[in-house]
Amino acid sequence: MSGDPAIILLAHGSSDPRWCETFEKLAGPTLHSVPGSRIAYMELAEPSIEAVVSEGVADGKRDFTIVPLFLAAGRHLRKDVPGMITELEKTHGVTISLAAPIGENPQLGDAICDVVRQELARHS
């Protein structure tokens, strides 16, 4: 058991497995390099936030940080996810922090620029 918070990479979720595969690939580098990190889906896919927190608690975790794989904070991140967090904290007696969505990090803008430059280079 580690004193570090468990990291939950949160994606919206979809009933289309191809959509989920995209996010699992995106999460791959983090899942492989950050011990105890997991991906979870807000709805429409598994594992749910509830399942990931329950498993973390069973492994002795008490602190969790959710990193939303969202470009911006809309209704889900302003209302729905905080409500889910409140319920999970009550149910499991844990502390859950909600980070800003990845789209607010300027490094994502740099990564998008790199992808655009690569695409332009492919066509030159």
Side-chain angles (χ1 to χ4, degrees):
M1 175 171 70
S2 167
D4 294 332
I7 300 297
I8 300 172
L9 300 174
L10 178 66
H12 182 275
S14 172
S15 58
D16 184 342
R18 294 169 298 180
W19 185 96
C20 294
E21 288 170 9
T22 299
F23 278 88
E24 288 163 14
K25 286 178 187 172
L26 182 65
T30 301
L31 300 176
H32 294 300
S33 65
V34 178
S37 61
R38 296 280 310 273
I39 191 165
Y41 298 100
M42 198 186 94
E43 58 188 15
L44 304 173
E46 293 294 329
S48 65
I49 302 172
E50 166 67 37
V52 171
V53 170
S54 293
E55 290 170 14
V57 169
D59 288 340
K61 289 290 187 182
R62 307 303 307 157
D63 295 305
F64 297 83
T65 297
I66 294 175
V67 178
L69 301 180
F70 288 61
L71 292 179
R75 185 192 58 132
H76 284 317
L77 291 182
R78 294 185 203 282
K79 183 178 178 187
D80 301 334
V81 173
M84 294 171 147
I85 288 171
T86 298
E87 286 301 312
L88 289 166
E89 287 178 326
K90 286 180 190 174
T91 301
H92 296 285
V94 296
T95 301
I96 303 174
S97 300
L98 180 61
I102 61 165
E104 291 182 10
N105 186 312
Q107 290 176 309
L108 184 60
D110 293 339
I112 291 169
C113 183
D114 289 344
V115 169
V116 169
R117 286 183 177 147
Q118 290 169 11
E119 190 62 23
L120 289 172
R122 270 184 358 104
H123 295 285
S124 10

